[in-house]
Amino acid sequence: MSDKQRVSRRQFLNYTLTGVGGFMAAGMLAPMVRFAIDPVLKPSAAGDFQSVASVDEITNEPQRFEWIVEQVDGWYESEVQKTAWVYRTEDDEIVALSPICTHLGCTVDWASQEEYPDQFYCPCHAGRYTKDGVNVPGTPPTAPLPLFDHKVEEGMLYLGQAQDR
C-alpha cells in the first residue's frame, strides 16, 4: 500500500468550494481594483504646454492672452478657455500670472480701477495685487496670484499649469 493520506469527501468539497469561491471573489475584485488604480497609472497631461503668443507681442505692460485646452472628464470631452496675464520684467524675463483671485476665485483685471492704475484689481471684494502678482496687504486676498509654468521655443511662448507660490 501507499503512504498517501486519503482525502475525505468533506475535505474535497471544502477545498473545491474554497477554490471556486476564491476565483469568484478575485473576478469580482479585479474590476474594482483596476478602477481604483487606473487614474494613478494614466499618464498625466498636466505637463502639457500650449502655444499662447509670439514673444514679440509681449510688452512691459501686462496683457491678457487666451487659449483653448481640450479637457476630458470621464467620457465627456470639452474645450476649455484658459487665460493668463503676461508681461516682461525690466530684466527681460517673461512673467505669466493666473487671473484667478486667490480670495474667492473671481477674475482680476489689470489697471481696471482708476484709483489703482498699476495694480491688478478684483471687483468682487476689492482685492488688489501688485504688477508681479503679490497681494496688497490689507486687502482680502491672502496669497499672491499663481504663476504659470512657461517656456519659450522658436519665438513662441508656451504656458503649462498654474502653480501656487
Side-chain angles (χ1 to χ4, degrees):
M1 289 227 145
S2 107
D3 293 340
K4 290 184 181 179
Q5 270 191 340
R6 296 187 56 116
V7 177
S8 70
R9 283 186 219 162
R10 179 172 283 166
Q11 287 176 322
F12 175 76
L13 192 55
N14 193 11
Y15 295 152
T16 304
L17 290 176
T18 302
V20 169
F23 278 114
M24 290 176 66
M28 289 177 10
L29 287 176
M32 291 182 226
V33 170
R34 174 70 180 168
F35 179 76
I37 294 177
D38 190 46
V40 176
L41 299 178
K42 277 192 174 180
S44 173
D48 290 346
F49 284 83
Q50 299 288 328
S51 174
V52 174
S54 170
V55 175
D56 299 334
E57 297 176 45
I58 302 170
T59 64
N60 289 5
E61 190 76 12
Q63 295 174 299
R64 185 181 183 124
F65 289 99
E66 297 175 346
W67 68 101
I68 302 291
V69 177
E70 290 185 16
Q71 179 174 305
V72 178
D73 293 322
W75 61 88
Y76 180 72
E77 296 179 14
S78 61
E79 291 184 348
V80 177
Q81 182 174 341
K82 298 271 189 169
T83 306
W85 286 99
V86 182
Y87 70 95
R88 285 185 190 271
T89 64
E90 288 79 24
D91 302 332
D92 206 36
E93 292 182 27
I94 295 175
V95 176
L97 297 168
S98 169
I100 307 301
C101 180
T102 57
H103 177 230
L104 289 177
C106 298
T107 303
V108 299
D109 285 319
W110 172 253
S112 63
Q113 198 70 4
E114 290 179 15
E115 302 157 21
Y116 313 109
D118 294 329
Q119 293 182 349
F120 288 102
Y121 181 77
C122 178
C124 295
H125 297 99
R128 296 186 341 230
Y129 299 90
T130 58
K131 183 178 179 180
D132 60 353
V134 175
N135 51 311
V136 174
T139 62
T142 57
L145 292 172
L147 284 170
F148 278 99
D149 293 332
H150 68 279
K151 64 182 178 180
V152 176
E153 289 181 358
E154 299 176 9
M156 293 297 293
L157 173 66
Y158 292 85
L159 293 182
Q161 295 292 316
Q163 304 295 328
D164 291 336
R165 302 193 246 177

